[in-house]
Amino acid sequence: MKEKNPPIVLLHAFPLSSRMWKEDAAFLSAKTKVFNLDLPGFGSSSPMEGVTMPGMAAEIGRELDRSGVREPVFMAGLSMGGYAAFEFLRQFPERLCGLGLFATRASADAPAALKNRALAIEAIEKFGIEPFARKAVKSQLGKTSQEQNPSLVENVLSMMREASPQAAMDALKAMAGRSDLNSLLPSIRFPVLAAAGEEDEICPAAEMKAMHEKIPGSRFHVIPRSGHLINLENTPVFRKIFMDFLEAEIFSRP
Ligand code: MLT
């Protein structure tokens, strides 16, 4: 392993956990130190009462401190993981040497999304995580995965079922309360890879392309035959794009 490669931090989507990055983390760990983190309340991490998106980003900073990471990291987040990465950028720009922004957005929730969050919180409170997970798996996985990859559908469902109802409700509130961070985009001065799923209806490719156009020098790819969970739905294409970018823009830097 080249000691000089910057550490990579992977941040998962909602309502998943670090499990969604497990294979990518193993693959990347041949190149550098990888921190595949569970956001507060998910996977093995403790819940944070009244958690907010700034609170999640601050906790990522503390986790890096606890692990003795002083150098800038490459941070990659998918969807909610991207929201946390944008907050980290706002709070700690000097701790980043690059960003991977996958199926995510810098904007705050629109009114319709806020309404859906409130309904989702109510539903989880009443019925638990199972009905929510069944709905989420349908909206997150693209048409191709739904029709052709039943084992992926099962795998994603099993990850979503692991989410504690409290963590899911807390994260929904945190996402609903997040700030619009579009104003940060034009001043980003490090390499950024943005990628969207061709079939993603949650963060449509056109919206992600518009976001990438505000980030100087960033790269943008559309992952074919994929919905929202691009690393799981089209792993070979996602991984090639990610690795080629890291090799060209991050690992080759002196
Ligand atoms: C996610 O995948 O993290 C969620 O779709 C994010 C969101 O609900 O905004």
Side-chain angles (χ1 to χ4, degrees):
M1 186 191 304
K2 283 188 275 175
E3 283 299 330
K4 70 178 170 62
N5 285 342
I8 294 182
V9 176
L10 299 172
L11 302 174
H12 62 84
F14 169 86
L16 296 150
S17 69
S18 59
R19 248 183 87 192
M20 68 160 276
W21 285 119
K22 195 164 171 250
E23 287 176 18
D24 299 284
F27 187 80
L28 288 164
S29 63
K31 290 283 179 183
T32 189
K33 180 96 180 126
V34 179
F35 295 89
N36 183 14
L37 303 183
D38 282 313
L39 292 167
F42 294 93
S44 61
S45 91
S46 314
M48 264 173 92
E49 215 187 314
V51 70
T52 58
M53 208 48 70
M56 283 194 197
E59 181 54 24
I60 296 166
R62 284 191 290 273
E63 179 59 35
L64 294 177
D65 291 343
R66 286 193 287 272
S67 304
V69 177
R70 300 272 169 268
E71 69 272 43
V73 301
F74 183 88
M75 187 169 282
L78 197 145
S79 201
M80 177 174 74
Y83 308 158
F86 277 125
E87 248 310 319
F88 192 89
L89 167 67
R90 189 182 68 77
Q91 293 182 44
F92 312 108
E94 73 291 348
R95 298 193 80 168
L96 289 170
C97 66
L99 276 173
L101 300 170
F102 305 139
T104 194
R105 54 170 62 88
S107 311
D109 275 354
L114 287 174
K115 201 166 159 209
N116 285 336
R117 300 260 190 236
L119 291 174
I121 291 169
E122 222 177 282
I124 296 172
E125 180 122 56
K126 272 198 198 142
F127 307 114
I129 204 71
E130 177 69 22
F132 179 79
R134 289 195 168 275
K135 213 168 144 195
V137 83
K138 287 210 177 83
S139 61
Q140 294 202 2
L141 293 178
K143 190 170 177 290
T144 306
S145 301
Q146 312 255 14
E147 289 175 359
Q148 299 176 15
N149 200 342
S151 67
L152 178 65
V153 175
E154 235 356 272
N155 186 26
V156 170
L157 193 52
S158 84
M159 290 190 245
M160 290 180 171
R161 279 184 180 131
E162 283 176 2
S164 90
Q166 191 58 53
M169 291 188 290
D170 290 348
L172 284 163
K173 284 182 200 152
M175 289 190 285
R178 73 187 194 281
S179 305
D180 186 318
L181 297 178
N182 276 290
S183 62
L184 300 178
L185 304 181
S187 54
I188 295 179
R189 290 289 175 269
F190 48 58
V192 174
L193 170 65
E198 178 186 35
E199 302 171 1
D200 188 358
E201 290 176 6
I202 298 174
C203 286
E207 188 185 334
M208 282 217 66
K209 183 167 182 287
M211 182 189 81
H212 130 81
E213 282 164 357
K214 295 184 197 157
I215 307 175
S218 62
R219 300 202 192 180
F220 175 65
H221 293 270
V222 177
I223 310 292
R225 299 178 304 286
S226 175
H228 194 53
L229 301 179
I230 54 178
N231 69 315
L232 299 172
E233 294 188 62
N234 194 339
T235 305
V237 171
F238 171 80
R239 203 170 277 170
K240 178 161 181 6
I241 285 168
F242 196 12
M243 281 314 299
D244 286 355
F245 173 85
L246 289 172
E247 292 290 358
E249 302 274 349
I250 303 294
F251 296 157
S252 60
R253 298 208 157 192

